[in-house]
């Protein structure tokens, strides 16, 4: 992946940040720096975004003991975990690159239509305790009990809007046996309360070629507005001027959200479509907002006991603007 694509450029220009985005582009590479290798090795989880077998975009997380993320080569990330069967991306990631592997064993190059191709995924390694994060995008293939990802984009992000949290693993070894999934097409009253109280979520998007990205959004509780059981709205605060997420939405409105249950291990997954709201009067009603994003929900999957990690109460970022109303 080279420079910014046309969706990113269009949003940068409309937002008035084309010059800043040009300067920021130098921070995007395709290899993992040495300092980031050590950072990834310390992490117990990784947020992943991608597209399922029906073309829907989802965000999820993979977890493991620190050390489950390794960098065997500067342009390759190995993830020593796969999602559980209840996860919305389980089938795609478990079968990623199966056709390519079979052809390699047979000694045949095959063709573009010769079975499953690598899964294009976006990733965030995030450490709430230190408010550090880095984003990586690339092409994943199944590798034993995990994934091998050839990286196309690697960049570090600023710590704004990250709530500080510490984690500990669940000690109950039977916790995975209580994992259940519930599907719906709109938010239940309890799920609406979860979103209204949320201070963090993750959003996955893809461009018009299918290249995926995953990003973090944070703010004070109440920054996510539940307009209806099928419509969410949130403010878009000042960031790095790259507009990788909004640029993707400019070309492809499909998106997925992950709302982690920090204290319970439950994962709330939403998939649907998103659009950027530029209307000045609407934006002015939201302190600190430079734009708004509206997300229309197409499907909901809530997975209980999805994560073996539990997190402390947050220390809110000093950068969080006050919430509207």
């Amino acid at each position: 992946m080279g420079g910014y694509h046309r969706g990113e450029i269009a949003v940068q220009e409309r937002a008035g940040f084309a010059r800043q985005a040009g300067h920021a582009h130098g921070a995007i590479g395709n290899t993992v720096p040495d300092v980031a290798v050590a950072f990834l090795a310390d992490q117990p989880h990784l947020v992943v975004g991608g597209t399922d077998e029906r073309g829907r975009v989802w965000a999820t997380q993979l977890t493991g003991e620190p050390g489950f993320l390794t960098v065997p080569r500067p342009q390759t990330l190995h993830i020593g975990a796969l999602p559980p069967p209840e996860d919305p991306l389980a089938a795609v990631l478990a079968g990623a690159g199966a056709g390519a592997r079979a052809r390699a064993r047979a000694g045949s190059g095959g063709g573009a239509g010769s079975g499953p191709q690598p899964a294009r995924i976006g990733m965030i390694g995030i450490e709430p305790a230190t408010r550090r994060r880095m984003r990586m995008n690339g092409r994943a293939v199944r590798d034993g009990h995990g994934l091998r990802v050839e990286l196309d984009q690697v960049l570090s992000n600023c710590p704004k809007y990250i709530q500080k949290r510490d984690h500990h693993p669940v000690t109950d070894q039977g916790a995975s046996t209580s994992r259940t999934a519930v599907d719906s097409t709109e938010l239940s009253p309890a799920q609406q309360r979860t979103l209204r109280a949320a201070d963090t979520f993750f959003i996955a998007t893809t461009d018009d070629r299918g290249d995926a990205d995953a990003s973090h959004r944070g703010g004070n509780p109440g920054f996510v507005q539940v307009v209806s059981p099928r419509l969410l709205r949130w403010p878009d605060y000042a960031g790095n001027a790259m507009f990788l997420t909004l640029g993707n939405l400019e070309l492809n409105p499909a998106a997925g959200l992950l709302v982690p249950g920090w204290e319970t291990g439950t994962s709330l997954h939403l998939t649907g479509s998103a659009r950027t709201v530029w209307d000045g009067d609407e934006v002015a009603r939201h302190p600190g907002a430079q734009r708004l994003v509206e997300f229309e929900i197409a499907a909901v999957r809530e997975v209980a006991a999805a994560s073996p990690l539990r997190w402390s109460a947050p220390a809110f970022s000093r950068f969080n603007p006050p919430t509207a109303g």
Side-chain angles (χ1 to χ4, degrees):
M1 299 172 70
Y4 295 122
H5 63 57
R6 59 187 178 87
E8 293 159 346
I9 293 171
V11 175
Q12 291 161 5
E13 291 178 346
R14 182 165 185 175
F17 285 98
R19 178 174 295 180
Q20 293 92 324
H23 295 317
H25 187 266
I28 303 176
N30 63 356
T31 60
V32 180
D34 289 343
V35 65
V37 173
F39 168 77
L40 291 170
D42 287 339
Q43 303 315 309
H45 70 137
L46 180 75
V47 174
V48 177
T51 304
D52 72 8
E53 60 275 15
R54 295 171 54 183
R56 302 176 299 181
V57 176
W58 298 91
T60 190
Q61 66 174 325
L62 300 174
T63 62
E65 293 289 333
F68 89 109
L69 301 176
T70 59
V71 182
R73 296 187 299 114
Q75 203 168 343
T76 303
L77 174 70
H78 189 271
I79 306 170
L82 291 169
E86 297 84 358
D87 192 279
L89 290 178
V92 164
L93 295 182
R101 293 196 308 275
R103 292 193 299 275
R105 287 194 298 269
S108 170
S114 304
Q117 301 298 306
R120 286 178 280 185
I121 61 175
M123 298 162 286
I124 307 176
I126 185 166
E127 188 173 65
T130 60
R131 294 191 168 105
R132 297 163 66 197
R133 60 178 168 172
M134 65 176 300
R135 288 160 76 174
M136 300 164 287
N137 303 329
R139 293 151 288 122
V141 297
R142 177 77 177 269
D143 187 5
H145 296 292
L147 297 165
R148 186 181 73 254
V149 188
E150 299 303 322
L151 300 171
D152 298 315
Q153 285 187 326
V154 178
L155 65 150
S156 295
N157 280 156
C158 71
K160 281 185 176 180
Y161 321 121
I162 297 178
Q163 324 317 334
K164 187 175 181 179
R165 285 179 163 93
D166 295 308
H167 74 276
H168 66 273
V170 173
T171 56
D172 180 5
Q173 297 301 313
S176 63
T177 63
S178 61
R179 189 183 300 119
T180 58
V182 176
D183 292 317
S184 63
T185 57
E186 63 180 30
L187 297 169
S188 69
Q191 290 165 344
Q192 293 178 49
R193 290 192 293 272
T194 295
L195 280 156
R196 290 190 176 104
D199 58 61
T200 300
F201 69 87
F202 299 92
I203 179 169
T205 59
T206 74
D207 63 16
D208 53 346
R209 300 178 303 176
D211 290 319
D213 179 73
S215 186
H216 163 276
R217 293 293 184 270
N220 287 330
F223 88 107
V224 179
Q225 296 182 338
V226 181
V227 181
S228 76
R230 294 192 63 182
L231 184 65
L232 305 178
R233 180 187 295 130
W234 62 83
D236 190 64
Y237 299 138
N240 56 21
M242 295 179 183
F243 297 104
L244 304 185
T245 297
L246 300 191
N248 280 350
L249 294 178
E250 187 79 5
L251 303 181
N252 178 13
L257 307 187
L258 167 66
V259 185
W262 299 105
E263 298 162 354
T264 65
T266 295
S267 289
L268 180 59
H269 308 270
L270 314 175
T271 188
S273 59
R275 72 181 186 95
T276 306
V277 178
W278 298 90
D279 180 82
D281 292 337
E282 285 289 326
V283 173
R285 298 189 182 100
H286 297 76
Q290 296 191 337
R291 293 148 296 275
L292 305 176
V293 178
E294 288 191 344
F295 179 77
E296 185 173 354
I297 296 167
V300 178
R301 176 168 293 184
E302 184 170 356
V303 183
S307 170
L309 302 176
R310 301 294 182 269
W311 300 79
S312 64
F316 294 110
S317 170
R318 63 184 178 88
F319 296 101
N320 291 347
T323 56

